[in-house]
Amino acid sequence: MEQRQPHEQSAPEGHREELVGEVEVVTYHDDQSQYTVLRIAPEEGYDDPQAPSLWRSLRLSAVGAMVQPAAGQRLRLTGRWTTHKSHGRQFAFDSAEILPPASVEGAARYLASGVFEGIGETLARRIVDKLGPGAIEVIHAHPEQLEGIAGLRSAVRAKLIEAVRAQFTRHKLHGFLRGVGLGPRQSAAVALKLGADAEERIRANPYELAGAVAGIGFVIADRIARELGFAPDSLHRCRAALLHSLRSAADEGHSLLGEEALRSRTADLLRLEPERLPLTEALEQLADAEEVTLEHGLLEGERAVYLPHLAACERGLAANLARLLTGGPRTPLATEADLERFERRSGFELDSDQRRAVLGLLQTPLALLTGGPGVGKTTIVRCLVALAEAAGARVKLASPTGRAAKRLTEATERQASTLHRLLLYDPQTRAFTHNQDRPLQADLLVVDETSMLDVVIAHHTFKAIDTATRVVLVGDPDQLPSVAPGNVLVELMRSQRAPVFRLTQIHRQGRNSRIVENAHRILRGEMPVFPSRGEPPSDCYFFPAEDALRCAERTVEVVTQRIPRSFGFDWVQSVQVLAPMYRGECGVDALNERLRAALGAGGPEFRAGERSWRVGDRVIHTRNDYDKEVFNGDMGRVVSVSEEGLNVAYPERTVAYAPDELGDLQPAFAVTVHRSQGSEYDVVVLPVVPQHHLMLQRNLLYTAVTRARKLLVLVGAAAAIRRAVENAEQGLRLARLERRLVQLLPETHAPLRSWAPPAT
């Protein structure tokens, strides 16, 4: 009869329990993430009193996060049993409590583990022989008892006493932090950030935690404050809630809030009437501490409230745009004769609007090139680059994202970079190398996909542009705005302070594409058209599915079966599913699970919390990480996993992620339309159902359609598509770049004729 392991008799996988034992070996520990792999000798009789001899010989693997593990430590671990494909049964713990050693042997091993400088096995044994198994507690309470131990020099004794006291302080702090509900990684981060007096600081103001440590926001700090007895209307709470409301608004894309809107949001967050809260006093205290910026004259009848860095960026961006726009006349980089010669040599046939755009863009200090798909923006950029180089100009090309920069490189056959790389971020100083004191060396800078340009990176970019440099901004104002705060392209166009060259005529390659045709139909408020049965093959199709569950099933079928069978595309490499939102049967989260299951990839897996990662997974990075040189929206594939984390291959490099960094990644078999900005995919599949009603807007549908290069498939309900087409209202994004530019530059350029800015 097969003998089962003791933990398998009463510890089903996923069941939460405690494991008490002694650390035999620290297999792996990362000081930054606190990720730890231990070999544990469980205490006799644990979980199976009938098999003590088996438990004495059993050594278990435990994985989790803890501070400063050491051989010989006696631990109480709380967690669940899991099965790792490569390493077998493991105890995945989320809580680790250090207990007093239970034996002389354990105490000696702990003292000799390397945690205490200068203490080897011989000295450890002598200390334990004199002080007993509770040696650590004795050293802390009665350090004088160390005197007289042979070989324990005074300098080593002093370091041992200091280390034991520091250890008790650290364990006391971590005990307090765990007591208020923080996990081991959060506790370690708080201790590092706030120092040895962290407990006193938190007891005085628990809201200091909000924003100070990654993963701890207002909600967690507020729960801790309630447990510590803080009043619902305390000033500490009001200040933290005001900041949280501003940060939440920034996450929604707003650069600022009006004072009344901020009060209303904050009162809703605190679930109290505004008149019961000292919000005015709290706001003034934040302003005095320079944690918010208050400005007059930007909003009618009230003050504008900014996070300080957003105020500085918007103010600086407006000033540098004005500087470039008033930099004086420029000698044209090309004449009409130059353009005619270029057309003859290259075989380009430009229409009158395109010719006017090329010549105008090459003689103005700062101008915009806009237009929808198929109108020739890429052709114009290629002409600009070729003519400028022929005139001896130094040309630089950039885009907000790596994917858009790669497309720009392919289109122009010149090297393009992300704006972050162009500006040379220095991880040591955490600042860009290029700035107003060290500007970019270029005569012409072309920035593509400027609808994605947020106020922060735009500020840093324009700060680094010399007054003598010409700038061409290329973008489509009908696309969704940037994910981060600001609406730079639209605000600049709306200000009418910079020349705008808008292309409208669809050219040969676009006229043969139903994708291009439908994009322009959507902009005009017309329903897209799809081929009927029996018509010639098209690049645009619609598969009806009225309810969300059927739509999700059909989406997976279309992606994994119909498209590969009918068009020959490898769906794993070439097909991107876009969805309007994360939740629901047809949301990004559920579709990622379905598509990953359809992929059926096996092999090693790394589990972090409720999410697992394995080789072959398509992933997207969700924030700007200047140290790793990976930025918000970069997409890659998991190429290896191990106990230490995983490696992701991006187009330009492979990047390693430790366990505590996996929050920066999301699955990307399906992504939101917002996340797809600046990208093009060979094939786009877009589920659209009535359940997406909150996000069904014309600019979202238009953005999704224009991401497809060779094939577009819509799946869902025709009524939902119609709702999106008819909903031309865009959510108002609060920014004041336009107002600042108008104040700085009273003179306007000719009114825009072919683009109507969204109503405010």
Side-chain angles (χ1 to χ4, degrees):
M1 185 174 185
E2 182 179 346
Q3 187 178 33
R4 293 188 298 171
Q5 295 293 318
H7 63 260
E8 291 176 336
Q9 296 181 22
S10 60
E13 189 163 312
H15 175 70
R16 187 169 178 81
E17 60 177 280
E18 289 185 349
L19 169 64
V20 177
E22 183 180 300
V23 178
E24 288 225 325
V25 179
V26 179
T27 307
Y28 175 81
H29 176 70
D30 183 83
D31 287 333
Q32 184 174 6
S33 68
Q34 308 301 328
Y35 181 73
T36 304
V37 182
L38 303 172
R39 295 296 289 178
I40 298 287
E43 292 192 351
E44 183 177 333
Y46 171 74
D47 197 35
D48 188 2
Q50 308 303 316
S53 61
L54 182 58
W55 272 114
R56 280 197 294 271
S57 64
L58 189 64
R59 300 298 180 264
L60 304 174
S61 176
V63 297
M66 69 172 293
V67 179
Q68 205 171 15
Q73 280 178 335
R74 183 168 172 251
L75 301 177
R76 178 185 287 114
L77 304 177
T78 305
R80 295 177 173 85
W81 288 104
T82 63
T83 301
H84 191 283
K85 289 187 178 179
S86 299
H87 304 288
R89 291 280 279 181
Q90 295 179 325
F91 190 77
F93 63 89
D94 52 30
S95 171
E97 179 186 356
I98 298 178
L99 303 174
S103 66
V104 168
E105 290 76 12
R109 290 185 66 224
Y110 182 36
L111 280 168
S113 65
V115 172
F116 305 102
E117 185 180 348
I119 307 296
E121 291 183 9
T122 301
L123 265 180
R125 173 58 65 178
R126 290 173 182 171
I127 292 170
V128 173
D129 285 345
K130 180 176 181 180
L131 305 184
I136 299 296
E137 288 79 4
V138 174
I139 294 169
H140 179 255
H142 303 287
E144 69 278 1
Q145 293 194 27
L146 286 170
E147 295 180 10
I149 295 177
L152 184 59
R153 293 179 288 110
S154 59
V156 175
R157 184 172 65 244
K159 286 183 178 180
L160 175 59
I161 295 168
E162 181 183 357
V164 168
R165 286 174 174 169
Q167 185 187 73
F168 268 78
T169 300
R170 182 169 59 251
H171 290 327
K172 179 177 180 290
L173 171 59
H174 280 270
F176 166 73
L177 295 173
R178 298 308 304 278
V180 296
L182 298 185
R185 292 176 190 161
Q186 291 174 323
S187 298
V190 170
L192 182 65
K193 181 76 174 181
L194 301 185
D197 61 343
E199 180 175 349
E200 290 72 19
R201 292 173 65 175
I202 292 169
R203 288 188 182 278
N205 178 15
Y207 296 100
E208 189 174 355
L209 290 169
V213 175
I216 302 180
F218 175 81
V219 173
I220 292 177
D222 197 41
R223 175 185 55 75
I224 293 172
R226 290 198 304 272
E227 291 176 4
L228 295 177
F230 277 71
D233 60 350
S234 74
L235 272 170
H236 286 311
R237 189 176 192 232
C238 289
R239 286 199 301 269
L242 287 165
L243 286 174
H244 178 77
S245 297
L246 270 181
R247 290 168 182 150
S248 297
D251 290 341
E252 297 165 16
H254 301 295
S255 298
L256 69 149
L257 284 177
E259 194 169 350
E260 289 307 312
L262 176 59
R263 290 173 186 275
S264 177
R265 278 180 177 241
T266 303
D268 289 344
L269 173 66
L270 299 181
R271 299 181 181 178
L272 293 171
E273 295 299 322
E275 53 270 17
R276 290 186 54 191
L277 297 166
L279 294 178
T280 299
E281 183 180 356
L283 187 60
E284 296 299 335
Q285 287 183 358
L286 289 172
D288 291 341
E290 298 183 347
E291 293 186 72
V292 302
T293 297
L294 304 177
E295 291 200 44
H296 296 272
L298 296 175
L299 296 172
E300 300 301 327
E302 62 176 334
R303 293 182 296 183
V305 188
Y306 287 84
L307 294 171
H309 76 284
L310 293 180
C313 288
E314 190 178 84
R315 194 184 304 121
L317 175 58
N320 282 301
L321 287 169
R323 170 177 60 83
L324 293 173
L325 287 167
T326 56
R330 296 287 193 277
T331 301
L333 290 176
T335 64
E336 288 194 32
D338 295 328
L339 180 54
E340 289 173 1
R341 283 193 295 271
F342 172 75
E343 286 183 277
R344 287 196 298 270
R345 288 196 308 269
S346 65
F348 285 177
E349 297 179 9
L350 304 183
D351 63 35
S352 58
D353 284 345
Q354 290 177 318
R355 291 173 62 84
R356 185 163 53 250
V358 170
L359 295 173
L361 291 166
L362 287 174
Q363 70 179 12
T364 54
L366 170 63
L368 292 83
L369 174 66
T370 74
V375 297
K377 295 194 300 296
T378 300
T379 298
I380 298 302
V381 171
R382 292 167 64 186
C383 292
L384 293 175
V385 172
L387 288 167
E389 289 180 342
R394 298 165 299 174
V395 179
K396 290 191 181 295
L397 306 172
S399 189
T401 69
R403 290 167 293 161
K406 184 179 179 182
R407 287 175 45 217
L408 187 57
T409 296
E410 294 168 350
T412 60
E413 298 180 347
R414 272 71 165 183
Q415 186 60 47
S417 70
T418 63
L419 289 170
H420 303 87
R421 290 196 177 198
L422 179 72
L423 299 174
L424 296 179
Y425 180 77
D426 184 351
Q428 299 299 319
T429 62
R430 297 195 171 272
F432 290 108
T433 301
H434 287 296
N435 52 38
Q436 67 272 19
D437 299 320
R438 188 182 173 186
L440 294 164
Q441 299 299 303
D443 300 304
L444 173 65
L445 172 63
V446 179
V447 182
D448 197 13
E449 294 289 355
T450 51
S451 62
M452 302 175 63
L453 207 56
D454 64 80
V455 69
V456 175
I457 190 62
H459 163 63
H460 287 291
T461 300
F462 280 92
K463 181 171 66 172
I465 298 174
D466 189 85
T467 304
T469 301
R470 293 174 173 83
V471 182
V472 174
L473 303 179
V474 185
D476 184 350
D478 294 305
Q479 301 275 359
L480 290 169
S482 60
V483 175
N487 203 2
V488 174
L489 176 61
V490 168
E491 292 254 308
L492 182 53
M493 292 181 68
R494 193 187 287 138
S495 75
Q496 300 187 11
R497 265 46 183 182
V500 178
F501 297 89
R502 171 83 174 186
L503 304 177
T504 57
Q505 183 176 336
I506 301 175
H507 289 271
R508 183 173 58 249
Q509 64 272 30
R511 284 197 293 268
N512 297 325
S513 168
R514 226 167 210 165
I515 295 173
V516 172
E517 175 191 353
N518 282 332
H520 287 273
R521 288 180 65 89
I522 290 167
L523 279 185
R524 296 193 298 268
E526 301 171 5
M527 282 288 285
V529 293
F530 305 98
S532 303
R533 187 178 297 275
E535 287 189 19
S538 174
D539 62 357
C540 201
Y541 291 88
F542 172 62
F543 288 87
E546 292 301 319
D547 68 273
L549 179 58
R550 176 61 183 138
C551 181
E553 294 170 343
R554 194 155 201 186
T555 295
V556 174
E557 177 200 0
V558 166
V559 169
T560 63
Q561 299 178 36
R562 289 180 179 256
I563 289 175
R565 184 172 62 241
S566 300
F567 296 94
F569 289 106
D570 177 352
W571 75 267
V572 177
Q573 299 292 332
S574 301
V575 181
Q576 182 62 58
V577 176
L578 305 181
M581 56 200 304
Y582 283 100
R583 296 179 181 176
E585 290 283 358
C586 275
V588 163
D589 294 336
L591 289 172
N592 267 311
E593 290 298 321
R594 288 177 177 272
L595 290 166
R596 191 186 193 217
L599 179 63
E605 185 173 85
F606 185 91
R607 178 166 292 278
E610 299 300 317
R611 179 169 285 165
S612 66
W613 307 92
R614 63 190 180 196
V615 173
D617 282 351
R618 187 188 294 175
V619 296
I620 186 168
H621 191 89
T622 58
R623 73 175 181 91
N624 291 334
D625 188 329
Y626 297 101
D627 295 330
K628 292 183 181 295
E629 293 190 19
V630 185
F631 303 103
N632 191 357
D634 286 351
M635 295 179 73
R637 286 188 181 280
V638 177
V639 292
S640 66
V641 301
S642 68
E643 290 183 347
E644 290 77 34
L646 49 90
N647 290 311
V648 176
Y650 293 99
E652 296 180 344
R653 71 179 57 78
T654 297
V655 176
Y657 288 82
D660 65 327
E661 297 172 325
L662 295 179
D664 295 340
L665 292 179
Q666 288 183 2
F669 292 106
V671 299
T672 62
V673 179
H674 283 83
R675 288 278 179 209
S676 74
Q677 289 173 266
S679 299
E680 279 189 351
Y681 312 98
D682 284 345
V683 184
V684 166
V685 176
L686 177 70
V688 187
V689 291
Q691 285 81 355
H692 294 155
H693 63 92
L694 293 175
M695 299 297 293
L696 294 180
Q697 298 172 344
R698 184 182 296 175
N699 65 342
L700 183 139
L701 180 60
Y702 171 76
T703 298
V705 167
T706 55
R707 300 307 90 200
R709 187 161 41 213
K710 298 178 181 178
L711 179 66
L712 170 70
V713 180
L714 274 67
V715 183
I721 298 173
R722 183 175 298 281
R723 178 186 177 93
V725 169
E726 293 176 350
N727 183 11
E729 295 183 9
Q730 299 181 20
L732 174 62
R733 180 169 281 210
L734 197 56
R736 278 300 176 264
L737 178 62
E738 175 193 0
R739 173 68 67 89
R740 293 182 191 274
L741 278 172
V742 169
Q743 291 174 346
L744 291 170
L745 300 173
E747 297 294 328
T748 68
H749 284 274
L752 305 177
R753 298 184 302 276
S754 55
W755 180 79
T760 59

